[in-house]
Amino acid sequence: MLQINLLPGAINEIMASAAKSGFLTKLDCYGLMAAVLDDSLSTEDRSTVKRLSYFVLRGWVQVE
């Protein structure tokens, strides 16, 4: 089984990048997917992922 480890602060970096540019790259999406599958996320990180999903759903952030 492949083990995926996120870099510390990666979710916050993705959020900052999406807020600045208005876009999520495919690499950002894969990082978020790995974060969702990781059971050790803090509640703050989990909330950030949910917020980013909501922004995409509303069209405020677009996926490249």
Side-chain angles (χ1 to χ4, degrees):
M1 184 76 165
L2 180 63
Q3 180 68 22
I4 299 172
N5 294 324
L6 295 174
L7 295 172
I11 294 175
N12 291 331
E13 288 294 324
I14 292 172
M15 179 65 155
S17 173
K20 183 177 179 181
S21 67
F23 291 97
L24 283 174
T25 64
K26 284 188 179 183
L27 185 60
D28 293 337
C29 292
Y30 284 120
L32 291 172
M33 183 177 66
V36 169
L37 295 175
D38 186 11
D39 290 335
S40 64
L41 278 182
S42 68
T43 56
E44 180 183 340
D45 286 343
R46 199 168 296 281
S47 174
T48 302
V49 171
K50 286 181 183 179
R51 222 174 309 133
L52 274 169
S53 300
Y54 180 75
F55 292 165
V56 170
L57 182 66
R58 299 292 292 179
W60 299 335
V61 173
Q62 298 190 359
V63 178
E64 293 183 322

